[in-house]
Amino acid sequence: MYSVIPYQAAYALSVSQIFHEAIHAIDDLQYSPAHKAAWSAKPRSSYHWHKRLSRSRAWIVVDTSQIVAGRPKCCGFINLETRFYSLGYIDSLYVHPEHQGNGLARALYEGLELWAKDRGYPELSVDASILSKEVFLSYGFKVKHRSYQEKLGQVIMGFLMSKSL
C-alpha cells in the first residue's frame, strides 16, 4: 500500500539512492551513459538531499507494506520551489525503477498541485527530461521550449514546460 507524506529528514539517504538509480535505469537510447554519469555520477550525500528538500516543499511516497530501518520504504519523491524567484518550479520528480508504472508519480504530482492551488500559485513549471515530458503533458503541462543543462561537460536536453492553475 502506497501513501504520500511530507518529506522527513530520515528519508534523505533513500531519496539520494532513488535519484541515482532512476537516472541510471534510463535506456541508453534516451540518454547516453556519459549523460547519465554527468547527471548522477554517484549518489549524493544525505546532507545534500536534506538541505535541497528542506529549502522547498517536498513529499515522498512510501510503501507501507515494506518496513526498512523501522519505517515505510521510500519509493519516490517530488519537490516544489517556494521562494519568490522560483515560485512554483517543480525541481524534482523521481520514482524508483522498481516502482515505476504504479501511478506513484501521478500521486506525488496531484498532491503537489493541490497544495499549490490551495496557496494561490498561478502556475507550475518544470524542466522535464525526454522521458518525463510525456508524463507532464498528461498532467496538462504545455511545452514552452527546449532547454539545455550543462553538467560535467555534458549537455543534457530537456523541455521547459508550464501549466496554469
Side-chain angles (χ1 to χ4, degrees):
M1 184 61 155
Y2 296 108
S3 182
V4 175
I5 62 172
Y7 164 75
Q8 300 166 21
Y11 287 101
L13 184 58
S14 296
V15 164
S16 176
Q17 293 166 334
I18 289 166
F19 175 82
H20 183 72
E21 290 178 32
I23 297 299
H24 287 276
I26 296 171
D27 188 292
D28 289 349
L29 297 175
Q30 299 291 325
Y31 288 105
S32 72
H35 284 127
K36 293 186 286 186
W39 200 341
S40 181
K42 62 182 181 177
R44 303 278 307 255
S45 71
S46 55
Y47 173 80
H48 165 84
W49 278 103
H50 178 64
K51 186 174 177 183
R52 182 171 173 174
L53 296 181
S54 300
R55 291 183 174 174
S56 62
R57 181 71 180 168
W59 297 265
I60 59 174
V61 62
V62 296
D63 182 347
T64 57
S65 70
Q66 294 186 44
I67 304 301
V68 177
R71 57 187 168 270
K73 180 182 179 185
C74 184
C75 303
F77 67 99
I78 192 168
N79 73 307
L80 181 71
E81 296 295 330
T82 56
R83 297 186 176 177
F84 181 75
Y85 63 91
S86 56
L87 184 69
Y89 178 78
I90 299 170
D91 179 53
S92 300
L93 172 56
Y94 290 91
V95 173
H96 191 280
E98 292 176 359
H99 298 275
Q100 292 175 2
N102 293 324
L104 302 186
R106 180 170 292 280
L108 285 163
Y109 172 75
E110 287 175 352
L112 177 149
E113 183 179 290
L114 181 63
W115 184 90
K117 281 181 177 178
D118 285 349
R119 281 147 187 84
Y121 282 47
E123 179 181 77
L124 296 175
S125 62
V126 65
D127 274 303
S129 69
I130 293 169
L131 295 175
S132 65
K133 174 186 174 193
E134 294 304 318
V135 171
F136 283 102
L137 286 171
S138 77
Y139 301 158
F141 281 72
K142 304 288 185 219
V143 175
K144 293 178 99 170
H145 58 76
R146 287 182 187 222
S147 61
Y148 300 90
Q149 296 181 31
E150 188 275 328
K151 296 175 188 267
L152 300 177
Q154 296 291 315
V155 177
I156 301 172
M157 190 192 83
F159 301 90
L160 180 61
M161 304 176 75
S162 65
K163 176 181 179 177
S164 295
L165 296 180

